[in-house]
Amino acid sequence: MAAVLADRLDDCPVVDLAVRLAAARAAPLLLIAVLPPPQPHAVAPRPDGAAVRAVLGRVMPRVVRAGIAHRPAVYVRPAGRGGRLGAAKGLLDVAVGHGCSTLVVSRSGPPELDAGTVMEAAAVRGGPLVHAAPTARWVPLVPASSAT
């Protein structure tokens, strides 16, 4: 089971669904942090590096509370245009490389990594199974009655 996290508000619903599915299957959870394309001559990010920890920071309290075994992974978006399904195929390669047969992806994920595109790439590739997590609901910080 893998959760695809892109440092967005939608990461919380993605992890919530992934935790429920992992708990039901008694499976560990792979937390795939999606990072932007690297700068020229940049060192490849490590799964235990600061950039990955920053992406996972929003969801770790939920994972720890659930008591699900987990491990981080990293997917660096390609710098060039690899076709409409290129980024999604690379993401699927990372998940399958870690032994995951199921991914949870946000419906409104980053361009080329939304659930619809990842599902299409998985269908072309012949797997893995992709679940679409709902988008995060926007809630105002200040209740409407106290705003003046």
Side-chain angles (χ1 to χ4, degrees):
M1 178 67 55
V4 178
L5 309 168
D7 199 20
R8 300 164 46 110
L9 287 176
D10 289 338
D11 289 352
C12 291
V14 166
V15 145
D16 290 343
L17 178 56
V19 162
R20 284 195 308 270
L21 293 171
R25 294 179 174 118
L29 186 58
L30 180 68
L31 302 170
I32 302 174
V34 175
L35 298 179
Q39 298 296 321
H41 308 293
V43 176
R46 296 170 20 124
D48 61 347
V52 173
R53 286 194 314 267
V55 171
L56 301 183
R58 181 187 322 258
V59 299
M60 285 311 297
R62 294 168 186 261
V63 174
V64 171
R65 246 190 327 262
I68 300 288
H70 60 280
R71 69 180 192 262
V74 62
Y75 172 66
V76 179
R77 295 183 61 142
R81 301 293 278 162
R84 194 175 72 74
L85 300 175
K89 181 193 172 299
L91 176 65
L92 294 173
D93 290 343
V94 169
V96 170
H98 282 85
C100 291
S101 60
T102 306
L103 274 85
V104 179
V105 183
S106 173
R107 284 187 186 137
S108 66
E112 300 172 350
L113 294 177
D114 60 282
T117 305
V118 176
M119 283 179 186
E120 187 176 346
V124 169
R125 187 178 196 274
L129 178 64
V130 178
H131 289 274
T135 58
R137 289 187 13 213
W138 182 81
V139 180
L141 295 176
V142 179
S145 61
S146 64
T148 52

